[in-house]
Amino acid sequence: MNLDAKPDKTAYHHGNLIEALLEVAVSLIEEKGVEQLSVRELAKRANVSPGAPFRHFKNKTALLTAVAEQAMARLTIAIQNEIKNEGIEDPIETFHSLGRAYLNWALNNPTHFQIISSRNLIDFNSSKQLVEQNENIRIIMIRLINKAKEQGILNKKLDPNDLIFAARAFVYGVARMWVDRHFNEWNIKDDAQIAMQKALNLFISSIRN
Amino acid sequence: MNLDAKPDKTAYHHGNLIEALLEVAVSLIEEKGVEQLSVRELAKRANVSPGAPFRHFKNKTALLTAVAEQAMARLTIAIQNEIKNEGIEDPIETFHSLGRAYLNWALNNPTHFQIISSRNLIDFNSSKQLVEQNENIRIIMIRLINKAKEQGILNKKLDPNDLIFAARAFVYGVARMWVDRHFNEWNIKDDAQIAMQKALNLFISSIRN
DNA sequence: CCTATAATGTAATCACTGTTTACATTTATG
DNA sequence: CATAAATGTAAACAGTGATTACATTATAGG
Protein backbone atom coordinates (compact mmCIF):
# COMPACT_ATOMS: atom_id res chain seq x y z
CA MET A 1 0.00 0.00 0.00
CA ASN A 2 1.26 3.45 -0.91
CA LEU A 3 1.63 5.58 2.17
CA ASP A 4 2.76 8.63 0.21
CA ALA A 5 -0.15 9.80 -1.81
CA LYS A 6 0.43 12.39 -4.52
CA PRO A 7 4.14 11.70 -4.44
CA ASP A 8 4.87 14.06 -7.29
CA LYS A 9 3.56 17.07 -5.41
CA THR A 10 5.78 19.13 -3.19
CA ALA A 11 6.71 17.40 0.01
CA TYR A 12 5.50 20.04 2.43
CA HIS A 13 2.00 18.66 2.61
CA HIS A 14 1.89 14.94 2.96
CA GLY A 15 -1.52 14.60 1.38
CA ASN A 16 -2.55 11.46 3.16
CA LEU A 17 -1.09 11.77 6.60
CA ILE A 18 -3.97 10.45 8.68
CA GLU A 19 -4.16 7.10 6.99
CA ALA A 20 -0.41 6.86 6.76
CA LEU A 21 -0.11 7.41 10.50
CA LEU A 22 -2.64 4.71 11.27
CA GLU A 23 -0.88 2.20 9.10
CA VAL A 24 2.56 3.03 10.38
CA ALA A 25 1.22 2.83 13.93
CA VAL A 26 0.07 -0.74 13.46
CA SER A 27 3.30 -1.93 11.92
CA LEU A 28 5.32 -0.14 14.56
CA ILE A 29 3.28 -1.74 17.32
CA GLU A 30 3.75 -5.12 15.71
CA GLU A 31 7.48 -4.55 15.75
CA LYS A 32 7.97 -3.26 19.25
CA GLY A 33 4.77 -3.67 21.22
CA VAL A 34 2.22 -1.03 21.96
CA GLU A 35 4.03 0.13 25.12
CA GLN A 36 7.02 1.14 23.01
CA LEU A 37 5.07 3.07 20.42
CA SER A 38 6.10 6.69 20.24
CA VAL A 39 4.41 9.41 18.29
CA ARG A 40 7.77 10.84 17.37
CA GLU A 41 8.98 7.66 15.72
CA LEU A 42 5.61 7.41 14.04
CA ALA A 43 6.14 10.87 12.63
CA LYS A 44 9.66 10.02 11.53
CA ARG A 45 8.47 6.95 9.62
CA ALA A 46 5.82 9.02 7.91
CA ASN A 47 8.51 11.53 6.93
CA VAL A 48 6.93 14.27 8.89
CA SER A 49 7.93 16.49 11.81
CA PRO A 50 7.28 15.42 15.42
CA GLY A 51 4.42 17.87 15.86
CA ALA A 52 2.56 17.02 12.68
CA PRO A 53 0.47 14.13 14.03
CA PHE A 54 -1.02 16.49 16.58
CA ARG A 55 -2.72 18.43 13.77
CA HIS A 56 -4.90 15.39 13.21
CA PHE A 57 -5.15 13.75 16.63
CA LYS A 58 -5.43 15.73 19.80
CA ASN A 59 -3.16 13.28 21.59
CA LYS A 60 -1.64 9.83 21.45
CA THR A 61 -4.75 8.24 22.94
CA ALA A 62 -6.89 9.73 20.18
CA LEU A 63 -4.54 8.31 17.59
CA LEU A 64 -4.71 4.85 19.10
CA THR A 65 -8.47 5.18 19.38
CA ALA A 66 -8.59 5.78 15.65
CA VAL A 67 -6.55 2.63 15.12
CA ALA A 68 -9.05 0.82 17.32
CA GLU A 69 -11.96 2.11 15.25
CA GLN A 70 -10.41 0.74 12.08
CA ALA A 71 -9.73 -2.53 13.83
CA MET A 72 -13.22 -2.87 15.24
CA ALA A 73 -14.71 -2.19 11.83
CA ARG A 74 -12.65 -5.01 10.38
CA LEU A 75 -13.62 -7.38 13.17
CA THR A 76 -17.28 -6.57 12.58
CA ILE A 77 -16.91 -7.28 8.88
CA ALA A 78 -15.12 -10.56 9.58
CA ILE A 79 -17.93 -11.63 11.86
CA GLN A 80 -20.70 -10.58 9.53
CA ASN A 81 -19.12 -12.36 6.59
CA GLU A 82 -18.90 -15.52 8.60
CA ILE A 83 -22.42 -15.59 9.92
CA LYS A 84 -23.99 -14.58 6.63
CA ASN A 85 -22.57 -17.70 5.05
CA GLU A 86 -24.28 -19.79 7.66
CA GLY A 87 -27.77 -21.06 7.11
CA ILE A 88 -30.49 -19.61 9.26
CA GLU A 89 -31.64 -22.99 10.45
CA ASP A 90 -29.46 -23.74 13.44
CA PRO A 91 -28.81 -20.68 15.60
CA ILE A 92 -26.36 -22.55 17.78
CA GLU A 93 -24.28 -23.38 14.74
CA THR A 94 -24.34 -19.72 13.82
CA PHE A 95 -23.37 -18.85 17.37
CA HIS A 96 -20.49 -21.26 17.00
CA SER A 97 -19.44 -19.57 13.77
CA LEU A 98 -19.56 -16.20 15.44
CA GLY A 99 -17.12 -17.44 18.05
CA ARG A 100 -14.92 -19.00 15.42
CA ALA A 101 -14.76 -15.78 13.44
CA TYR A 102 -13.91 -13.82 16.58
CA LEU A 103 -11.13 -16.19 17.57
CA ASN A 104 -9.69 -16.45 14.08
CA TRP A 105 -9.60 -12.71 13.81
CA ALA A 106 -7.82 -12.40 17.14
CA LEU A 107 -5.40 -15.12 16.10
CA ASN A 108 -4.50 -13.33 12.90
CA ASN A 109 -4.66 -9.77 14.20
CA PRO A 110 -3.28 -9.87 17.72
CA THR A 111 -2.09 -6.29 17.62
CA HIS A 112 -5.46 -4.98 16.57
CA PHE A 113 -7.17 -7.17 19.10
CA GLN A 114 -4.99 -5.88 21.87
CA ILE A 115 -5.79 -2.31 20.96
CA ILE A 116 -9.55 -2.70 20.85
CA SER A 117 -9.47 -4.58 24.14
CA SER A 118 -7.44 -2.11 26.12
CA ARG A 119 -9.12 0.60 28.08
CA ASN A 120 -5.94 2.37 29.12
CA LEU A 121 -4.53 3.05 25.68
CA ILE A 122 -7.72 4.11 23.94
CA ASP A 123 -10.75 6.14 24.91
CA PHE A 124 -13.36 3.51 24.21
CA ASN A 125 -16.43 5.18 25.62
CA SER A 126 -15.88 8.45 23.81
CA SER A 127 -15.98 6.68 20.46
CA LYS A 128 -19.53 6.25 19.24
CA GLN A 129 -18.25 3.86 16.62
CA LEU A 130 -16.53 1.56 19.10
CA VAL A 131 -19.44 1.52 21.50
CA GLU A 132 -21.96 0.84 18.76
CA GLN A 133 -20.07 -1.91 17.03
CA ASN A 134 -19.39 -3.62 20.32
CA GLU A 135 -23.07 -3.41 21.13
CA ASN A 136 -23.97 -4.77 17.70
CA ILE A 137 -21.99 -7.91 18.34
CA ARG A 138 -23.71 -8.33 21.67
CA ILE A 139 -27.11 -7.95 20.04
CA ILE A 140 -26.31 -10.60 17.48
CA MET A 141 -25.45 -12.97 20.30
CA ILE A 142 -28.68 -12.20 22.12
CA ARG A 143 -30.73 -12.78 19.00
CA LEU A 144 -29.11 -16.12 18.28
CA ILE A 145 -29.51 -17.40 21.81
CA ASN A 146 -33.13 -16.30 21.97
CA LYS A 147 -33.80 -18.07 18.70
CA ALA A 148 -32.16 -21.21 20.02
CA LYS A 149 -34.34 -21.05 23.08
CA GLU A 150 -37.50 -20.67 21.01
CA GLN A 151 -36.50 -23.66 18.94
CA GLY A 152 -35.98 -25.66 22.10
CA ILE A 153 -32.41 -26.59 21.23
CA LEU A 154 -30.84 -24.63 24.06
CA ASN A 155 -29.92 -26.40 27.28
CA LYS A 156 -32.92 -25.57 29.44
CA LYS A 157 -30.88 -25.18 32.59
CA LEU A 158 -29.15 -22.12 31.16
CA ASP A 159 -30.27 -18.55 31.65
CA PRO A 160 -29.72 -16.73 28.33
CA ASN A 161 -28.21 -13.64 29.93
CA ASP A 162 -25.77 -15.61 31.99
CA LEU A 163 -24.91 -17.73 29.02
CA ILE A 164 -24.15 -14.76 26.81
CA PHE A 165 -21.86 -13.27 29.41
CA ALA A 166 -20.12 -16.59 29.91
CA ALA A 167 -19.68 -17.05 26.19
CA ARG A 168 -18.20 -13.62 25.84
CA ALA A 169 -15.86 -14.15 28.74
CA PHE A 170 -14.82 -17.47 27.29
CA VAL A 171 -13.84 -16.25 23.84
CA TYR A 172 -12.31 -13.16 25.34
CA GLY A 173 -10.22 -15.33 27.61
CA VAL A 174 -9.02 -17.56 24.79
CA ALA A 175 -8.18 -14.56 22.64
CA ARG A 176 -6.41 -12.72 25.41
CA MET A 177 -4.40 -15.76 26.39
CA TRP A 178 -3.22 -15.70 22.81
CA VAL A 179 -2.38 -12.01 22.52
CA ASP A 180 -0.93 -12.00 26.04
CA ARG A 181 1.29 -14.91 25.03
CA HIS A 182 0.09 -17.29 27.71
CA PHE A 183 -0.13 -20.26 25.37
CA ASN A 184 3.46 -21.32 25.93
CA GLU A 185 3.12 -21.13 29.66
CA TRP A 186 0.02 -23.26 29.58
CA ASN A 187 1.74 -26.13 27.85
CA ILE A 188 -0.51 -26.11 24.81
CA LYS A 189 0.68 -28.88 22.53
CA ASP A 190 -1.69 -28.25 19.68
CA ASP A 191 -1.28 -25.63 17.06
CA ALA A 192 -2.79 -22.43 18.42
CA GLN A 193 -5.71 -22.41 16.02
CA ILE A 194 -6.58 -26.00 16.76
CA ALA A 195 -6.37 -25.42 20.51
CA MET A 196 -8.72 -22.47 20.15
CA GLN A 197 -11.21 -24.40 18.07
CA LYS A 198 -11.16 -27.37 20.40
CA ALA A 199 -11.87 -25.15 23.35
CA LEU A 200 -14.67 -23.45 21.48
CA ASN A 201 -16.18 -26.78 20.48
CA LEU A 202 -16.13 -27.83 24.10
CA PHE A 203 -17.97 -24.72 25.17
CA ILE A 204 -20.55 -24.84 22.39
CA SER A 205 -21.34 -28.49 22.85
CA SER A 206 -22.21 -27.80 26.47
CA ILE A 207 -24.94 -25.28 25.67
CA ARG A 208 -27.00 -27.49 23.41
CA ASN A 209 -29.93 -29.34 24.74
CA MET B 1 2.10 -0.05 57.40
CA ASN B 2 5.29 1.84 58.09
CA LEU B 3 7.23 2.48 54.93
CA ASP B 4 10.04 4.26 56.72
CA ALA B 5 11.78 1.70 58.84
CA LYS B 6 14.26 2.86 61.43
CA PRO B 7 12.91 6.41 61.22
CA ASP B 8 15.17 7.68 63.98
CA LYS B 9 18.33 6.85 62.10
CA THR B 10 19.89 9.32 59.73
CA ALA B 11 17.91 9.78 56.55
CA TYR B 12 20.65 9.00 54.09
CA HIS B 13 19.96 5.30 54.04
CA HIS B 14 16.31 4.47 53.80
CA GLY B 15 16.68 1.11 55.50
CA ASN B 16 13.73 -0.55 53.83
CA LEU B 17 13.67 0.80 50.33
CA ILE B 18 12.91 -2.33 48.38
CA GLU B 19 9.69 -3.11 50.17
CA ALA B 20 8.74 0.52 50.31
CA LEU B 21 9.14 0.80 46.55
CA LEU B 22 6.97 -2.23 45.92
CA GLU B 23 4.20 -0.91 48.13
CA VAL B 24 4.32 2.57 46.72
CA ALA B 25 4.30 1.10 43.23
CA VAL B 26 1.04 -0.71 43.83
CA SER B 27 -0.74 2.27 45.32
CA LEU B 28 0.57 4.52 42.57
CA ILE B 29 -0.67 2.11 39.92
CA GLU B 30 -4.04 1.96 41.61
CA GLU B 31 -4.22 5.73 41.46
CA LYS B 32 -3.13 6.34 37.91
CA GLY B 33 -2.94 3.07 36.05
CA VAL B 34 0.13 1.07 35.28
CA GLU B 35 0.82 2.97 32.06
CA GLN B 36 1.26 6.16 34.05
CA LEU B 37 3.62 4.72 36.63
CA SER B 38 6.97 6.45 36.66
CA VAL B 39 10.02 5.37 38.57
CA ARG B 40 10.80 8.99 39.36
CA GLU B 41 7.49 9.60 41.06
CA LEU B 42 7.93 6.30 42.84
CA ALA B 43 11.25 7.54 44.16
CA LYS B 44 9.76 10.85 45.17
CA ARG B 45 7.03 9.16 47.19
CA ALA B 46 9.62 7.01 48.90
CA ASN B 47 11.59 10.18 49.74
CA VAL B 48 14.54 9.09 47.74
CA SER B 49 16.43 10.40 44.75
CA PRO B 50 15.43 9.42 41.18
CA GLY B 51 18.35 7.09 40.76
CA ALA B 52 17.98 5.21 44.01
CA PRO B 53 15.53 2.55 42.80
CA PHE B 54 18.09 1.44 40.24
CA ARG B 55 20.38 0.26 43.04
CA HIS B 56 17.81 -2.45 43.74
CA PHE B 57 16.18 -3.11 40.37
CA LYS B 58 18.11 -3.09 37.16
CA ASN B 59 15.21 -1.40 35.37
CA LYS B 60 11.53 -0.59 35.57
CA THR B 61 10.56 -3.99 34.21
CA ALA B 62 12.48 -5.71 36.98
CA LEU B 63 10.70 -3.60 39.55
CA LEU B 64 7.31 -4.50 38.15
CA THR B 65 8.37 -8.12 37.96
CA ALA B 66 9.07 -8.01 41.68
CA VAL B 67 5.60 -6.60 42.24
CA ALA B 68 4.26 -9.49 40.17
CA GLU B 69 6.15 -12.01 42.27
CA GLN B 70 4.58 -10.66 45.44
CA ALA B 71 1.19 -10.70 43.79
CA MET B 72 1.52 -14.23 42.48
CA ALA B 73 2.57 -15.44 45.92
CA ARG B 74 -0.57 -13.94 47.38
CA LEU B 75 -2.77 -15.45 44.68
CA THR B 76 -1.24 -18.84 45.36
CA ILE B 77 -1.92 -18.50 49.07
CA ALA B 78 -5.50 -17.42 48.42
CA ILE B 79 -6.06 -20.46 46.24
CA GLN B 80 -4.42 -22.89 48.61
CA ASN B 81 -6.40 -21.59 51.56
CA GLU B 82 -9.59 -22.07 49.64
CA ILE B 83 -9.00 -25.58 48.41
CA LYS B 84 -7.61 -26.81 51.70
CA ASN B 85 -10.90 -25.97 53.34
CA GLU B 86 -12.69 -28.14 50.85
CA GLY B 87 -13.24 -31.79 51.54
CA ILE B 88 -11.32 -34.23 49.43
CA GLU B 89 -14.43 -36.09 48.37
CA ASP B 90 -15.67 -34.19 45.33
CA PRO B 91 -12.86 -33.03 43.07
CA ILE B 92 -15.23 -31.06 40.87
CA GLU B 93 -16.38 -29.09 43.89
CA THR B 94 -12.76 -28.40 44.71
CA PHE B 95 -12.19 -27.39 41.09
CA HIS B 96 -15.10 -25.03 41.47
CA SER B 97 -13.58 -23.57 44.62
CA LEU B 98 -10.30 -23.07 42.85
CA GLY B 99 -12.04 -21.02 40.21
CA ARG B 100 -13.95 -19.10 42.85
CA ALA B 101 -10.77 -18.23 44.70
CA TYR B 102 -9.10 -17.11 41.49
CA LEU B 103 -11.99 -14.89 40.50
CA ASN B 104 -12.46 -13.41 43.95
CA TRP B 105 -8.80 -12.58 44.11
CA ALA B 106 -8.92 -10.89 40.72
CA LEU B 107 -12.04 -9.02 41.78
CA ASN B 108 -10.38 -7.67 44.90
CA ASN B 109 -6.91 -7.17 43.49
CA PRO B 110 -7.38 -5.95 39.93
CA THR B 111 -4.09 -4.07 39.90
CA HIS B 112 -2.10 -7.08 40.99
CA PHE B 113 -3.99 -9.28 38.58
CA GLN B 114 -3.21 -6.97 35.71
CA ILE B 115 0.47 -7.02 36.53
CA ILE B 116 0.83 -10.78 36.76
CA SER B 117 -1.12 -11.18 33.51
CA SER B 118 0.86 -8.76 31.42
CA ARG B 119 3.81 -9.94 29.42
CA ASN B 120 4.88 -6.52 28.24
CA LEU B 121 5.35 -4.89 31.63
CA ILE B 122 7.07 -7.74 33.42
CA ASP B 123 9.62 -10.35 32.46
CA PHE B 124 7.58 -13.41 33.32
CA ASN B 125 9.78 -16.13 31.94
CA SER B 126 12.92 -14.89 33.64
CA SER B 127 11.29 -15.23 37.04
CA LYS B 128 11.60 -18.74 38.38
CA GLN B 129 9.06 -17.87 41.04
CA LEU B 130 6.41 -16.74 38.58
CA VAL B 131 6.90 -19.67 36.25
CA GLU B 132 6.80 -22.18 39.08
CA GLN B 133 3.77 -20.83 40.84
CA ASN B 134 1.88 -20.59 37.58
CA GLU B 135 2.81 -24.17 36.87
CA ASN B 136 1.72 -25.22 40.34
CA ILE B 137 -1.76 -23.92 39.74
CA ARG B 138 -1.91 -25.79 36.48
CA ILE B 139 -0.83 -29.00 38.18
CA ILE B 140 -3.53 -28.67 40.80
CA MET B 141 -6.09 -28.36 38.03
CA ILE B 142 -4.75 -31.44 36.28
CA ARG B 143 -4.81 -33.46 39.48
CA LEU B 144 -8.39 -32.51 40.25
CA ILE B 145 -9.66 -33.26 36.78
CA ASN B 146 -7.89 -36.60 36.66
CA LYS B 147 -9.39 -37.51 40.01
CA ALA B 148 -12.83 -36.55 38.75
CA LYS B 149 -12.32 -38.75 35.74
CA GLU B 150 -11.27 -41.70 37.88
CA GLN B 151 -14.35 -41.26 40.01
CA GLY B 152 -16.48 -41.21 36.89
CA ILE B 153 -18.09 -37.89 37.71
CA LEU B 154 -16.54 -36.04 34.77
CA ASN B 155 -18.53 -35.62 31.60
CA LYS B 156 -17.17 -38.45 29.49
CA LYS B 157 -17.29 -36.49 26.28
CA LEU B 158 -14.59 -34.14 27.56
CA ASP B 159 -10.90 -34.54 26.99
CA PRO B 160 -9.11 -33.55 30.22
CA ASN B 161 -6.43 -31.51 28.50
CA ASP B 162 -8.90 -29.57 26.44
CA LEU B 163 -11.08 -29.05 29.47
CA ILE B 164 -8.25 -27.65 31.56
CA PHE B 165 -7.32 -25.20 28.84
CA ALA B 166 -10.93 -24.17 28.40
CA ALA B 167 -11.36 -23.70 32.13
CA ARG B 168 -8.27 -21.57 32.35
CA ALA B 169 -9.35 -19.48 29.38
CA PHE B 170 -12.76 -19.06 30.92
CA VAL B 171 -11.68 -17.76 34.30
CA TYR B 172 -8.98 -15.70 32.67
CA GLY B 173 -11.58 -14.14 30.41
CA VAL B 174 -13.92 -13.32 33.26
CA ALA B 175 -11.11 -11.82 35.31
CA ARG B 176 -9.71 -9.82 32.43
CA MET B 177 -13.13 -8.49 31.48
CA TRP B 178 -13.21 -7.21 35.03
CA VAL B 179 -9.76 -5.64 35.18
CA ASP B 180 -10.11 -4.34 31.61
CA ARG B 181 -13.37 -2.70 32.67
CA HIS B 182 -15.56 -4.43 30.09
CA PHE B 183 -18.34 -5.16 32.54
CA ASN B 184 -20.12 -1.87 31.93
CA GLU B 185 -19.96 -2.28 28.20
CA TRP B 186 -21.43 -5.72 28.42
CA ASN B 187 -24.53 -4.56 30.21
CA ILE B 188 -24.01 -6.65 33.30
CA LYS B 189 -26.88 -5.96 35.62
CA ASP B 190 -25.73 -8.09 38.51
CA ASP B 191 -23.18 -7.07 41.04
CA ALA B 192 -19.76 -7.97 39.63
CA GLN B 193 -19.12 -10.75 42.09
CA ILE B 194 -22.48 -12.34 41.48
CA ALA B 195 -22.05 -12.14 37.74
CA MET B 196 -18.69 -13.85 38.04
CA GLN B 197 -20.03 -16.61 40.25
CA LYS B 198 -23.01 -17.22 38.01
CA ALA B 199 -20.76 -17.56 35.02
CA LEU B 200 -18.50 -19.92 36.91
CA ASN B 201 -21.46 -22.02 38.05
CA LEU B 202 -22.57 -22.28 34.47
CA PHE B 203 -19.19 -23.52 33.35
CA ILE B 204 -18.71 -25.97 36.19
CA SER B 205 -22.17 -27.47 35.86
CA SER B 206 -21.39 -28.30 32.25
CA ILE B 207 -18.38 -30.46 33.03
CA ARG B 208 -20.07 -32.83 35.41
CA ASN B 209 -21.33 -36.12 34.21
C1' DC C 1 -7.09 34.79 -11.93
C1' DC C 2 -6.09 36.57 -7.54
C1' DT C 3 -6.39 36.98 -2.95
C1' DA C 4 -8.00 36.01 1.94
C1' DT C 5 -8.33 32.25 4.80
C1' DA C 6 -8.31 27.69 6.41
C1' DA C 7 -5.63 23.58 6.51
C1' DT C 8 -1.50 21.49 7.27
C1' DG C 9 3.18 21.41 7.81
C1' DT C 10 7.90 22.90 10.61
C1' DA C 11 11.14 24.33 14.39
C1' DA C 12 11.82 25.38 18.93
C1' DT C 13 10.67 24.62 23.35
C1' DC C 14 8.65 22.61 27.73
C1' DA C 15 8.33 19.42 31.50
C1' DC C 16 8.84 14.73 32.15
C1' DT C 17 10.67 9.97 31.49
C1' DG C 18 14.21 5.77 32.24
C1' DT C 19 18.79 5.13 32.96
C1' DT C 20 23.85 5.86 33.73
C1' DT C 21 27.79 7.91 35.82
C1' DA C 22 30.77 9.97 39.23
C1' DC C 23 30.71 10.86 43.76
C1' DA C 24 29.06 10.85 48.96
C1' DT C 25 27.71 8.56 52.98
C1' DT C 26 26.66 4.83 55.85
C1' DT C 27 27.02 -0.03 57.25
C1' DA C 28 29.43 -4.30 57.70
C1' DT C 29 33.56 -7.07 57.90
C1' DG C 30 38.16 -8.70 58.99
C1' DC D 1 39.46 0.55 63.68
C1' DA D 2 40.40 0.69 58.83
C1' DT D 3 38.69 -0.73 54.69
C1' DA D 4 35.35 -2.56 51.51
C1' DA D 5 30.64 -3.18 50.25
C1' DA D 6 26.16 -1.36 50.18
C1' DT D 7 23.27 2.23 49.42
C1' DG D 8 22.29 6.79 48.78
C1' DT D 9 22.78 11.61 45.82
C1' DA D 10 23.36 14.95 41.92
C1' DA D 11 24.06 15.75 37.33
C1' DA D 12 23.68 14.45 32.86
C1' DC D 13 21.81 11.96 28.58
C1' DA D 14 18.72 10.89 24.98
C1' DG D 15 13.97 10.13 24.19
C1' DT D 16 8.98 11.18 25.23
C1' DG D 17 4.10 13.76 24.56
C1' DA D 18 2.57 18.04 23.80
C1' DT D 19 2.31 23.21 22.83
C1' DT D 20 3.53 27.38 20.59
C1' DA D 21 4.82 30.68 17.02
C1' DC D 22 5.61 30.64 12.49
C1' DA D 23 5.83 28.88 7.33
C1' DT D 24 3.81 26.91 3.46
C1' DT D 25 0.21 25.16 0.66
C1' DA D 26 -4.60 24.35 -0.75
C1' DT D 27 -9.01 26.25 -1.43
C1' DA D 28 -13.08 29.16 -2.03
C1' DG D 29 -15.30 33.61 -3.35
C1' DG D 30 -15.13 37.85 -5.72
Side-chain angles (χ1 to χ4, degrees):
Chain A
M1 204 170 298
N2 182 14
L3 300 184
D4 307 296
K6 309 179 183 175
D8 44 340
K9 294 232 168 178
T10 108
Y12 196 93
H13 281 122
H14 184 288
N16 208 10
L17 186 52
I18 294 181
E19 290 198 11
L21 288 172
L22 298 182
E23 276 195 45
V24 173
V26 172
S27 56
L28 215 44
I29 294 168
E30 276 164 359
E31 281 176 36
K32 320 170 68 176
V34 72
E35 280 77 12
Q36 310 299 328
L37 176 71
S38 88
V39 177
R40 297 181 91 102
E41 189 170 357
L42 206 60
K44 199 180 291 176
R45 290 232 188 160
N47 295 315
V48 108
S49 75
F54 294 96
R55 289 275 165 219
H56 302 281
F57 303 99
K58 74 172 192 295
N59 53 32
K60 186 180 178 181
T61 299
L63 198 158
L64 285 171
T65 303
V67 175
E69 286 174 344
Q70 270 199 353
M72 183 70 103
R74 291 180 197 173
L75 170 58
T76 299
I77 289 171
I79 286 175
Q80 284 172 344
N81 279 345
E82 184 68 23
I83 66 177
K84 264 180 195 154
N85 291 343
E86 296 294 316
I88 49 171
E89 317 88 22
D90 186 345
I92 293 186
E93 258 320 298
T94 307
F95 196 68
H96 194 158
S97 297
L98 172 57
R100 202 161 28 222
Y102 182 92
L103 290 180
N104 278 332
W105 191 83
L107 178 73
N108 295 317
N109 305 276
T111 300
H112 276 136
F113 187 87
Q114 191 191 0
I115 294 172
I116 62 174
S117 303
S118 89
R119 294 296 171 271
N120 299 323
L121 302 170
I122 69 174
D123 190 354
F124 187 90
N125 290 310
S126 82
S127 164
K128 207 174 166 184
Q129 220 180 108
L130 287 173
V131 171
E132 271 178 12
Q133 305 212 52
N134 189 56
E135 184 65 6
N136 280 343
I137 294 173
R138 206 181 117 249
I139 289 172
I140 293 173
M141 291 172 71
I142 295 173
R143 205 178 55 221
L144 290 171
I145 293 303
N146 283 341
K147 209 182 288 184
K149 191 178 181 181
E150 286 167 18
Q151 296 186 10
I153 59 176
L154 190 72
N155 186 330
K156 290 191 173 53
K157 290 185 294 188
L158 302 179
D159 173 72
N161 281 329
D162 295 349
L163 169 59
I164 287 164
F165 173 56
R168 171 61 168 206
F170 180 73
V171 292
Y172 188 64
V174 172
R176 283 227 68 131
M177 280 185 73
W178 171 246
V179 307
D180 292 344
R181 301 194 296 280
H182 289 205
F183 271 50
N184 300 336
E185 297 156 20
W186 210 249
N187 198 26
I188 307 295
K189 288 164 194 158
D190 291 313
D191 173 74
Q193 187 170 24
I194 291 177
M196 286 175 158
Q197 302 301 350
K198 274 190 182 175
L200 184 61
N201 291 344
L202 188 151
F203 186 89
I204 294 291
S205 70
S206 78
I207 72 173
R208 205 183 277 276
N209 201 354
Chain B
M1 205 169 299
N2 181 14
L3 300 184
D4 308 295
K6 309 180 184 174
D8 43 339
K9 293 233 169 175
T10 107
Y12 196 93
H13 280 123
H14 184 289
N16 208 10
L17 187 52
I18 294 181
E19 291 198 12
L21 287 173
L22 297 182
E23 276 196 45
V24 173
V26 171
S27 56
L28 216 44
I29 293 168
E30 276 164 359
E31 281 176 37
K32 320 171 68 174
V34 71
E35 280 78 12
Q36 309 299 327
L37 175 71
S38 87
V39 177
R40 297 181 91 103
E41 189 170 357
L42 206 60
K44 198 179 292 176
R45 290 231 187 162
N47 295 316
V48 107
S49 76
F54 295 95
R55 289 276 165 220
H56 302 281
F57 303 99
K58 73 173 195 294
N59 53 32
K60 187 180 178 180
T61 299
L63 198 159
L64 285 172
T65 304
V67 175
E69 286 174 343
Q70 269 199 354
M72 183 69 104
R74 291 180 199 174
L75 170 58
T76 298
I77 289 171
I79 285 175
Q80 284 173 343
N81 279 344
E82 185 68 23
I83 66 177
K84 264 179 196 156
N85 290 341
E86 295 294 316
I88 48 172
E89 317 87 22
D90 186 344
I92 292 186
E93 257 322 297
T94 307
F95 197 69
H96 194 158
S97 297
L98 172 58
R100 203 161 27 223
Y102 183 92
L103 290 180
N104 278 333
W105 191 82
L107 178 72
N108 295 317
N109 306 275
T111 300
H112 276 136
F113 186 87
Q114 192 191 1
I115 294 171
I116 62 175
S117 304
S118 89
R119 295 296 172 271
N120 299 323
L121 302 170
I122 69 175
D123 190 353
F124 187 90
N125 290 309
S126 82
S127 164
K128 206 175 168 184
Q129 221 181 106
L130 287 174
V131 171
E132 270 178 13
Q133 305 212 52
N134 189 56
E135 184 65 6
N136 280 343
I137 294 173
R138 205 181 118 248
I139 288 171
I140 293 173
M141 291 172 70
I142 294 173
R143 205 178 55 220
L144 290 170
I145 293 303
N146 283 341
K147 208 182 289 183
K149 191 178 182 179
E150 288 166 17
Q151 296 185 9
I153 60 175
L154 190 72
N155 186 330
K156 290 190 173 54
K157 288 184 296 189
L158 302 179
D159 173 74
N161 281 329
D162 295 348
L163 169 58
I164 287 165
F165 174 55
R168 171 61 168 206
F170 179 74
V171 293
Y172 188 64
V174 172
R176 283 227 67 131
M177 280 185 73
W178 170 247
V179 307
D180 292 344
R181 302 194 294 282
H182 290 205
F183 270 50
N184 299 337
E185 297 155 21
W186 211 249
N187 199 26
I188 307 295
K189 287 163 193 159
D190 291 312
D191 173 74
Q193 187 171 24
I194 292 178
M196 286 175 157
Q197 302 300 351
K198 275 189 182 175
L200 184 61
N201 292 344
L202 188 151
F203 186 89
I204 294 291
S205 70
S206 78
I207 72 174
R208 206 182 277 275
N209 200 354

